[in-house]
Amino acid sequence: MPGLLRGVARTAVVAGTATAVSNRVSRRQAGRWAQQEPAAAPAPAAPPPAAAAPAAPTMEEKLDQLKDLATLKDQGVLTEEEFAAQKARILGS
């Protein structure tokens, strides 16, 4: 039993030392990174211009999309419900 306790005590000391060293290294790295951030961070630039709103699809584009959907439905890729939902989405936009 004394040998077992000695082994457990040695393991506890090694684990405690490893934890202390690991924490110290982490704190030191965090300090270095904190010092580097202000120098490396560029000055804030002007916000990017707002993106233009996408153009509404023309009737011809809508018809092409509906033809593609019909083809997918005929091939069995889309169910009748999926086809109806997509058709409503296209015609609603």
Side-chain angles (χ1 to χ4, degrees):
M1 193 65 106
L4 179 64
L5 289 176
R6 189 177 304 134
V8 170
R10 183 179 306 145
T11 301
V13 169
V14 170
T17 303
T19 302
V21 170
S22 174
N23 289 340
R24 184 170 179 218
V25 169
S26 295
R27 283 192 304 271
R28 192 174 354 162
Q29 284 179 341
R32 287 182 184 167
W33 290 337
Q35 290 174 354
Q36 290 176 358
E37 279 182 14
T58 64
M59 184 54 78
E60 187 174 312
E61 291 171 339
K62 289 181 180 181
L63 289 174
D64 288 339
Q65 290 176 347
L66 288 173
K67 288 177 185 175
D68 292 340
L69 281 176
T71 303
L72 290 173
K73 186 183 89 169
D74 292 342
Q75 292 174 351
V77 176
L78 294 177
T79 64
E80 187 65 39
E81 293 81 22
E82 292 170 330
F83 174 75
Q86 292 300 320
K87 178 180 166 184
R89 181 188 60 83
I90 291 170
L91 293 176
S93 61

